[in-house]
Amino acid sequence: MSPTPAASRRAALARILPFTLYIAFLVIAAPLAGLVGIDVRWMYAVQIACVVAALMYFWRDYVELREPAPDTPLRGATGWVAALVLGVAVWALWIWLDFSPFAFAPGKGYQPQDEAGALIPLMVVVRIFGAAVVVPVMEELFWRSFVQRWLDRADFLSLPACAVTLRSLLFASLAFGFEHGQWAAGIVAGLAYGGLYLKSGRLWLAIVSHALTNLLLGLWVVHTAQWHFW
């Protein structure tokens, strides 16, 4: 039975709204922080809290997170190993491709330091939590589960992940890449996570791979103080 138009709209909204909230905060964070008189860096905590609230509100709608593993070569432990290996590989490429013309001109990035240059632990924890836990769930639901399938079929939930065309994988990965400052690495990441979802049919593998990349990148940023990655 085909879903009703209302059900299709809700399915799309559940995956678009958390992502839209995240992007909106990139625009409104600075003026909003100035309006309420707080350090703009703390707006990241508000940004992540809003995304978490949206994800929790729609949690029952994310059927792809509860689907049984399809019978693919990446079923079972093989899939998890592939997810971890890809996560590490994308992290390494993300750092290696951080030069012109493979990246946009870097900004100052998110710097969780006080005036003396010491780290502010709570800011570091919030930033890494957002990047390694919240963002992978939000972005994989949007880019891989929604966009990557919607490009092939408007009723995207009726299209198995393993049936996505290479055209849609490429287009979604290109768009994902140009969402990031390190655009070339972003495209590679999109292909890696999208290909993993295509070959395994399990969104959790893409989420875990994405989360590992972001966790390693966060730890690297804190260790090396290369804040422009954030």
Side-chain angles (χ1 to χ4, degrees):
M1 181 181 296
S2 299
T4 65
S8 295
R9 287 194 296 270
R10 180 180 174 90
L13 180 64
R15 292 152 184 84
I16 294 172
L17 182 60
F19 178 79
T20 302
L21 285 172
Y22 185 86
I23 297 299
F25 264 91
L26 299 180
V27 177
I28 69 173
L32 189 58
L35 183 64
V36 299
I38 66 171
D39 187 328
V40 67
R41 293 174 296 178
W42 289 115
M43 291 303 298
Y44 185 76
V46 180
Q47 178 183 24
I48 290 300
C50 289
V51 173
V52 169
L55 291 172
M56 290 179 64
Y57 179 80
F58 288 113
W59 194 253
R60 292 184 179 180
D61 294 271
Y62 302 137
V63 294
E64 60 271 61
L65 299 180
R66 301 187 296 275
E67 292 175 343
D71 189 11
T72 69
L74 291 180
R75 187 174 184 176
T78 303
W80 293 111
V81 171
L84 297 176
V85 170
L86 281 176
V88 174
V90 171
W91 164 70
L93 280 171
W94 203 280
I95 296 170
W96 182 66
L97 288 173
D98 181 41
F99 58 88
S100 180
F102 297 110
F104 299 125
K108 293 182 178 179
Y110 184 91
Q111 300 182 22
Q113 297 171 298
D114 61 21
E115 294 180 355
L119 289 175
I120 302 174
L122 184 56
M123 279 189 179
V124 173
V125 170
V126 170
R127 185 71 184 191
I128 291 180
F129 172 79
V133 178
V134 180
V135 168
V137 175
M138 173 267 293
E139 286 198 320
E140 293 308 311
L141 283 168
F142 176 74
W143 287 113
R144 255 56 71 180
S145 182
F146 172 61
V147 174
Q148 190 165 291
R149 293 194 287 176
W150 177 82
L151 287 170
D152 281 329
R153 185 179 299 176
D155 177 19
F156 66 97
L157 286 179
S158 68
L159 180 68
C162 297
V164 166
T165 63
L166 292 178
R167 173 189 64 88
S168 293
L169 171 62
L170 178 60
F171 284 175
S173 300
L174 285 171
F176 177 78
F178 283 104
E179 177 200 354
H180 298 83
Q182 288 78 21
W183 63 266
I187 292 173
V188 173
L191 291 170
Y193 307 145
L196 185 61
Y197 187 37
L198 171 65
K199 293 299 183 180
S200 69
R202 289 187 287 172
L203 191 65
W204 275 116
L205 294 186
I207 291 172
V208 168
S209 189
H210 192 161
L212 180 58
T213 298
N214 286 8
L215 174 61
L216 293 174
L217 186 60
L219 296 175
W220 172 265
V221 167
V222 173
H223 178 69
T224 63
Q226 296 189 51
W227 307 116
H228 68 278
F229 282 109
W230 273 356

